[in-house]
């Protein structure tokens, strides 16, 4: 391959083949396990409608302005996240050390990748489980026929006990992710988004409509949208902001990296709004997809990972056509997880390629290998390594396994710090002439965006950071 150097001596930067490809890839990054697993569980646990309303508020006033800021930095710099920030800092005569904010995001993306693919591996397992079930019992019956409630309840714990199996599945999921990342932006990353996101939406709508006819839809609507403001405590509000940020993939240099492949003509405010709206719509529909099925089976809507990997399989047992719906459901979750893991792998790959001047495929292979190793440690943290607490000496992370530490370090520290620095950088440090012509916003909207980025975002995100570190501050 002949590489012609760019005008500044760097190799020419890759790019999306169209605006639609970028939008689908960014939605693919945003829509993931966070929408399907975490959002319904948190909404249910935290006061239904009040949480949902507040969450939408967070997306609009804090998430969206930061999303626009991140894509803007990426498109300005046309490089991996750290170099993009450095270029904007240099052009604004600010310290190049601002690039550290993106460096943290690069590391954070890698850490999320490592445990995210372990969960992706579980999804593969359930695809296999329901696939085999469908093969054995046919399309018409419920799922997992003949299995006792205890038998079904034992599936997930048994999987978590089996470190070797989980490692194997994790490796498989990382390898699938690698396949697309290694093929490049237009040749791989975009292909997976362009094909899987529409398929994801069809499956999500199809299963939700199925649940509306066969499940307890009205109860689910009541459950999810009955507004109980008394449950909206300080800590619940902060959980909503954190969830909004994770769900939009912010603070992790991801949207900077994807933004760097966008052409100059694209209106970033418009695309950011589409991405945020789609991500929020998916979270809400996911609630209306999961709860009718769970409530129809009379099961508890216990939160956390158990909702998807324990309660739902049980619920599919009594549904008509449960095994095929179960299979389609987990295929849908797999699609959403894959488009997010691709984004998570692309961030460190883009960074390392530029840093070490190595070819994309080789760089991605090394990153994938490292993610597999850390993934194996996460997989075994449910069994053999259950008593290994990597950051046990730090009170905030005491008692956490490898899997939990990766999640909590990124959620409590990296995400808020990355997002605070991004909003301060764009709102206060970068020169206005570099920013103002790029947002795609005019007049009052532009002023409002500037106000949010300069004031509201840093303030609210600082609160999240403080409460994350000192949970007692928030109370209840
Ligand atoms: N937004 C993704 C989800 O909701 C997770 C993610 C976080 C992806 C950060 C990329 C970067 O599952």
């Amino acid at each position: 391959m002949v590489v012609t150097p760019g005008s500044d001596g760097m190799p020419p930067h890759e790019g999306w083949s169209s605006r639609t490809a970028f939008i689908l890839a960014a939605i693919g990054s945003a829509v993931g396990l966070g929408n399907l697993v975490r959002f319904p569980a948190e909404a249910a646990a935290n006061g239904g409608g009040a949480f949902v309303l507040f969450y939408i508020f967070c997306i609009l006033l804090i998430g969206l302005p930061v999303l626009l800021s991140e894509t803007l930095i990426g498109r300005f710099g046309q490089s991996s996240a750290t170099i993009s920030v450095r270029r904007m800092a240099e052009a604004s005569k600010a310290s190049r050390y601002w690039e550290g904010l993106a460096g943290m995001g690069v590391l954070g993306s890698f850490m999320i990748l490592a445990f995210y693919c372990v969960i992706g591996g579980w999804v593969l397992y359930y695809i296999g489980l329901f696939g085999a079930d469908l093969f054995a019992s046919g399309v018409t019956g419920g799922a997992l026929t003949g299995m006792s409630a205890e038998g079904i309840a034992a599936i997930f714990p048994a999987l978590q006990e089996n470190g070797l199996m989980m490692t194997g599945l994790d490796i498989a999921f990382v390898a699938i992710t690698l396949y697309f990342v290694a093929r490049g932006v237009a040749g791989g990353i975009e292909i997976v988004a362009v094909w899987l996101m529409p398929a994801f939406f069809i499956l999500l709508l199809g299963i939700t409509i199925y649940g509306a006819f066969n499940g307890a839809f009205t109860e689910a609507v009541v459950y999810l949208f009955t507004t109980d403001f008394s449950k909206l405590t300080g800590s619940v509000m902060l959980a909503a902001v954190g969830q909004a940020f994770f769900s939009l993939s912010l603070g992790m240099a991801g949207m900077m990296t994807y933004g760097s492949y966008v052409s100059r003509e694209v209106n970033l405010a418009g695309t950011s709004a589409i991405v945020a709206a789609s991500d929020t719509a998916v979270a809400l529909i996911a609630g209306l997809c999961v709860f009718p099925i769970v409530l129809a089976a009379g099961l508890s809507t216990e939160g956390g990972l158990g909702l998807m990997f324990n309660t739902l399989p049980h619920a599919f047992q009594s549904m008509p056509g449960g095994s095929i719906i179960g299979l389609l459901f987990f295929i849908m979750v797999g699609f959403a997880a894959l488009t997010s893991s691709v984004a998570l792998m692309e961030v460190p790959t883009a960074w390392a390629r530029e840093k070490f001047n190595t070819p994309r495929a080789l760089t991605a292979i090394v990153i994938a290998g490292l993610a597999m190793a850390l993934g194996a440690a996460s997989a075994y943290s449910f069994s053999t390594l259950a008593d290994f607490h990597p950051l046990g000496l730090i009170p905030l992370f005491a008692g956490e396994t490898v899997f939990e530490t990766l999640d909590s370090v990124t959620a409590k520290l990296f995400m808020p710090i990355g997002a605070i620095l991004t909003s301060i950088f764009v709102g206060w440090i970068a020169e206005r002439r570099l920013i103002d012509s790029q947002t795609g916003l005019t007049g009052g909207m532009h002023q409002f965006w500037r106000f949010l980025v300069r004031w509201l975002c840093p303030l609210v995100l600082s609160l999240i950071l403080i409460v994350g570190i000192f949970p007692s501050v928030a109370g209840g």
Side-chain angles (χ1 to χ4, degrees), residues 132-154:
D133 185 57
L134 180 65
F135 193 68
S137 57
V139 180
T140 45
L144 312 170
T145 12
M147 264 181 111
S148 65
E150 294 75 39
I152 296 180

Side-chain angles (χ1 to χ4, degrees), residues 26-36 38 108-109 112 116 243-255 279 336-337 339-345 347 415:
I27 295 177
S29 160
V31 169
L33 297 166
N35 303 61
L36 303 174
R38 232 158 74 171
S109 283
I112 299 181
Y116 206 83
Q243 170 64 17
F245 266 70
F246 183 81
S247 195
L248 287 180
S249 309
L250 298 177
M252 289 295 151
M255 291 298 178
D279 185 62
T339 51
S340 292
S341 65
V342 162
L344 289 164
M345 191 183 283
V347 177
M415 187 277 288

